[in-house]
Amino acid sequence: MTVAGVDRRAPVAAWAVLAITTLLSVGSVVCWWVAAPPWDPWMLYTLVDLMVGAIYGVVAWLTLLRRAHLAAWIMAAAGLGGASAAAAACWWMVVGRWPDLWGPGQVLASTYWIWVPGFYALIVVLPWLLPVRPADRTARIAVGIGTAFIVVAQACVLTLPDGLHAIPLTDPTLLGVRAVVEPWLEPVLVLLGCAAAVGVLRRRRTLPPQQRHGLGWLAVGTLLLCAAFLPLALNPLLPVTVPVPFSPLLMLVAQAFFPASVLVVVLRQRLWGLELTVRRTLVWALMTGLVIASYTLGVLLLKTVVPTSSVVPEVVVTALLAAAFQPLRQWVQRRVDLLVHGDGGRPLIRLVGDRLRAADRGTQMLDAVADGIADSLRLAAATITLTGDPAGPQRPAAAGQVAPAGPPLTVRLVNGDRPVGVLRAWPRAGERLDGRASSVLADLAPVVTALAELAVAQRDLEWSRLRLARGRDEERRKLRRDLHDDLGPALSGVALALAAGRNMLRAHRHLPEIAAADNLLDQLVQEMDRQAVGVREIARDLLPPLLDDGALLPALDRLRERYAAAGLTVRVRAAPVSLPEPVATAVYGIVAEAVRNVHRHADVDRCTIEVTSGPDGLEVCVTDQGVGIGAEVTVGVGTRSMRERAEGIGADLTIGPDRATELRTGTRVRLFLPIGAR
């Protein structure tokens, strides 16, 4: 099994399983051909054993060479059991023709019981083990129940009271227990198999997409095997008569789904160069099974309405199959490609395009491309790092999976001689990337390079905007200092000088001319005081000191208090949010300008500021129920300033009527800052 990223394989066991199942299968075919017994429908069960031995011997060999998972050992047991049962049955045919040959009864009778552990485990245990992952509590309980059932079933089969089986049973009590238990084996087998199929379908719906491949086929194969045992399961409750070929034919059909789905689910990326072989073999097996089943069913149905001696059914069914063969093969080929390659069966560029539609910024586009590549190729993770990115390359862990191990496959993104970035792809723990993944990444490199260049250009544009915003804020900060520290005190000093001159003239106030001059000087002092206060207010509005640490809410509260003194009620609905200083300054500037417009032009005594921080970004709205914006109003300096600030931080600014009101009056200024721009 794969533990902590270490892939343990069993090559010796793999080759041993392949050698034994191949020898037994070839020997069975030779014995059957030499014995040439008359056909009997019961021989279909021998054909099932032969197919199970041959197919699962190969599947177990492929799996054990790459991953010694418990599912591989179950398939090995099924292959060895099926091949041994087929060999015993075919040798029984030979002994039946030449009775003098060696043929102990218990060896020949092994055809009835040696297949049970492996074959039953395919139905009631193996589906709970896939896909390869840490087993949850439900899976562990189900595997335990399935194992206990197999032990009981094997004990019942080994003790058949016919004298030929391995353990003759003579104790009356045990015989009584066996007589009660044995009829219910098939019903319990069907119930456990259906529960396993339901568990597979539930995991197919709940697991991440990259872990779902093949689970649908696995569920279908499990249900077909359950259906094959259904007639026997109904006998204790509702005796029915079903044609003998029904059960073995369903078992044969199930082998078109079950082994391939198990192979793909267990190995995933570990098909290393075997994709073409697996795909062609699976298409051939499915087409052969579908054609044989369709021909048999069609002929049987037509013979019910056509005279028995007529050849019309065979001719009609053959013609229909010939006409439908090519469309059916294309349909099967698409399904097989989807099974083997998952989303890779669809064009990778289409999958990447679907991801790009949900991205609207440079780095988000690259993340979407990387996610699409990882999902399509079933990678643990993929990253695209731009040249000059200060974050540098990282090795992420896929959510809910084992962290990727080993060095990544690296593809350099180059435009001419200029490096643009690096694409890195990590396989899952214990796996490696095959030639298909390398080829796909190399073919996709020019497209990724173009997207990376676009992301670089957008990154440089954002950096340029940020530098401009910082430069503009620094100019405002300097202007604030000049106003607050130079012009404001200068105006206050002039006011003090005027007050001193006025005081000097007070002694001569009885003169009419002096009285007039005193009144004028008093008005000038008051005006100078007002202008000094106004200059300090302008300095604070340019860049409030509260924004130096990025705290937006205290600055908005200060804005609310200032307008409350001016007769405008400002309601602030915002939770504390911390932003980079340039971003907080730009947001505050836009809000302050919007509130200033309400105070000057809206003809209302109240407005609302709402700040909402969500998973997609920050939304800031300033709304009022005033007269709104007329169609004839031209864009002024304040509106242009707001738009420049929004562009500087990569935000979207919309100004229009407040759609929340029934009368559609008022104005709503909405600023949306995406999460990537913060």
Side-chain angles (χ1 to χ4, degrees):
M1 296 180 68
T2 300
V3 180
V6 178
D7 189 19
R8 298 175 182 170
R9 303 171 185 131
V12 175
W15 286 105
V17 169
L18 180 65
I20 295 173
T21 54
T22 300
L23 289 175
L24 291 176
S25 299
V26 172
S28 300
V29 173
V30 171
C31 290
W32 198 334
W33 177 71
V34 170
W39 175 252
D40 187 282
W42 289 98
M43 293 180 179
L44 285 173
Y45 286 101
T46 302
L47 181 59
V48 170
D49 292 335
L50 185 60
M51 291 290 292
V52 168
I55 293 175
Y56 286 100
V58 174
V59 173
W61 167 67
L62 289 173
T63 309
L64 289 172
L65 282 178
R66 291 159 173 81
R67 167 175 277 181
H69 187 262
L70 180 57
W73 294 112
I74 291 177
M75 290 185 289
L80 292 172
S84 300
C90 291
W91 184 248
W92 203 334
M93 298 176 191
V94 174
V95 172
R97 182 168 182 176
W98 293 285
D100 295 335
L101 294 176
W102 175 84
Q106 290 188 342
V107 173
L108 299 180
S110 65
T111 188
Y112 292 111
W113 58 264
I114 199 169
W115 57 273
V116 169
F119 197 79
Y120 278 14
L122 292 178
I123 304 174
V124 301
V125 174
L126 187 141
W128 292 103
L129 303 176
L130 301 177
V132 179
R133 73 203 189 286
D136 55 19
R137 184 171 180 269
T138 302
R140 291 195 297 270
I141 293 175
V143 169
I145 294 174
T147 303
F149 167 77
I150 293 171
V151 172
V152 173
Q154 184 70 83
C156 289
V157 175
L158 285 173
T159 56
L160 281 173
D162 55 7
L164 294 178
H165 289 73
I167 304 175
L169 194 62
T170 57
D171 185 88
T173 303
L174 294 179
L175 286 174
V177 173
R178 187 194 176 284
V180 174
V181 172
E182 193 271 339
W184 294 97
L185 291 178
E186 281 77 14
V188 174
L189 175 66
V190 172
L191 290 176
L192 293 178
C194 290
V198 171
V200 171
L201 293 175
R202 183 179 64 84
R203 293 193 296 278
R204 184 174 183 267
R205 188 179 66 176
T206 58
L207 287 175
Q210 63 270 20
Q211 296 186 25
R212 300 176 188 173
H213 306 304
L215 294 183
W217 290 48
L218 181 63
V220 171
T222 305
L223 290 174
L224 285 174
L225 290 177
C226 292
F229 285 91
L230 190 59
L232 298 175
L234 292 176
N235 279 337
L237 303 174
L238 181 65
V240 293
T241 301
V242 179
V244 172
F246 179 81
S247 292
L249 284 177
L250 278 180
M251 294 180 187
L252 289 173
V253 172
Q255 305 317 311
F257 295 88
F258 206 89
S261 62
V262 172
L263 183 68
V264 172
V265 172
V266 173
L267 295 186
R268 293 184 186 140
Q269 277 285 350
R270 304 179 193 202
L271 292 177
W272 306 334
L274 298 174
E275 300 98 332
L276 185 61
T277 302
V278 172
R279 287 166 54 202
R280 289 181 175 177
T281 302
L282 187 53
V283 170
W284 171 82
L286 282 173
M287 290 301 300
T288 301
L290 289 173
V291 169
I292 293 175
S294 301
Y295 181 83
T296 304
L297 182 61
V299 170
L300 290 177
L301 290 176
L302 288 178
K303 280 187 176 295
T304 60
V305 296
V306 178
T308 306
S309 59
S310 175
V311 296
V312 172
E314 290 83 352
V315 173
V316 171
V317 173
T318 302
L320 291 176
L321 287 176
F325 183 84
Q326 186 59 26
L328 181 61
R329 185 188 180 282
Q330 293 176 352
W331 182 82
V332 170
Q333 183 71 62
R334 288 194 298 269
R335 297 304 183 276
V336 170
D337 288 342
L338 183 61
L339 171 67
V340 175
H341 294 310
D343 285 332
R346 60 187 286 200
L348 176 60
I349 196 66
R350 184 189 306 169
L351 179 62
V352 172
D354 292 342
R355 298 298 180 87
L356 285 175
R357 292 189 185 97
D360 58 357
R361 304 185 71 84
T363 54
Q364 291 181 3
M365 289 192 300
L366 296 183
D367 291 341
V369 172
D371 290 343
I373 293 173
D375 289 346
S376 179
L377 299 181
R378 304 184 193 178
L379 305 173
T383 61
I384 301 173
T385 306
L386 299 177
T387 300
D389 188 349
Q394 302 292 328
R395 185 174 71 179
Q401 300 178 3
V402 179
L409 174 64
T410 300
V411 179
R412 301 196 176 277
L413 308 177
V414 181
N415 184 8
D417 296 331
R418 182 172 58 84
V420 178
V422 178
L423 169 63
R424 292 179 175 85
W426 282 272
R428 289 185 172 92
E431 302 181 6
R432 70 179 182 184
L433 297 178
D434 58 6
R436 171 178 173 268
S438 302
S439 176
V440 169
L441 292 177
D443 293 341
L444 198 62
V447 178
V448 179
T449 300
L451 290 173
E453 286 193 308
L454 179 60
V456 169
Q458 189 168 9
R459 182 192 64 184
D460 293 343
L461 178 60
E462 291 176 354
W463 285 357
S464 177
R465 286 176 174 175
L466 184 59
R467 286 194 298 269
L468 288 174
R470 287 176 176 172
R472 186 165 53 243
D473 291 340
E474 187 59 34
E475 290 294 330
R476 289 194 177 99
R477 192 173 288 107
K478 181 178 180 300
L479 182 58
R480 182 186 69 183
R481 288 195 301 267
D482 293 340
L483 292 175
H484 189 274
D485 299 339
D486 295 336
L487 183 57
L491 292 175
S492 298
V494 172
L496 290 174
L498 291 173
R502 182 192 58 187
N503 293 334
M504 293 174 61
L505 295 176
R506 287 287 174 89
H508 306 284
R509 187 174 177 80
H510 60 280
L511 298 176
E513 295 81 359
I514 298 301
D518 182 65
N519 292 334
L520 179 60
L521 288 174
D522 187 56
Q523 295 175 10
L524 288 175
V525 169
Q526 294 177 9
E527 182 63 24
M528 293 302 294
D529 288 338
R530 283 195 299 269
Q531 293 302 325
V533 173
V535 166
R536 292 188 178 92
E537 292 291 342
I538 292 174
R540 283 193 291 268
D541 288 345
L542 279 174
L543 205 63
L546 294 171
L547 293 173
D548 290 343
D549 58 356
L552 182 62
L553 183 57
L556 295 180
D557 288 337
R558 176 68 182 86
L559 183 69
R560 173 180 57 79
E561 293 171 359
R562 184 162 61 86
Y563 276 99
L568 178 66
T569 301
V570 180
R571 288 180 291 184
V572 179
R573 300 172 183 170
V577 58
S578 181
L579 300 172
E581 187 269 336
V583 175
T585 300
V587 172
Y588 176 83
I590 294 171
V591 172
E593 182 62 33
V595 175
R596 185 180 295 111
N597 289 335
V598 173
H599 185 239
R600 291 178 178 176
H601 309 296
D603 194 23
V604 291
D605 60 354
R606 65 187 63 246
C607 69
T608 302
I609 301 174
E610 291 184 285
V611 181
T612 305
S613 182
D616 297 329
L618 181 73
E619 183 181 44
V620 182
C621 294
V622 179
T623 57
D624 67 78
Q625 305 303 314
V627 296
I629 302 175
E632 70 283 355
V633 175
T634 59
V635 177
V637 175
T639 302
R640 285 195 295 269
S641 174
M642 286 194 292
R643 296 197 182 280
E644 289 175 358
R645 288 178 181 270
E647 292 176 359
I649 59 175
D652 297 326
L653 178 68
T654 56
I655 303 174
D658 184 12
R659 301 295 181 183
T661 61
E662 297 180 358
L663 299 178
R664 301 295 173 89
T665 61
T667 304
R668 180 173 184 260
V669 177
R670 177 183 181 270
L671 178 75
F672 180 73
L673 182 67
I675 192 69
R678 296 171 58 177

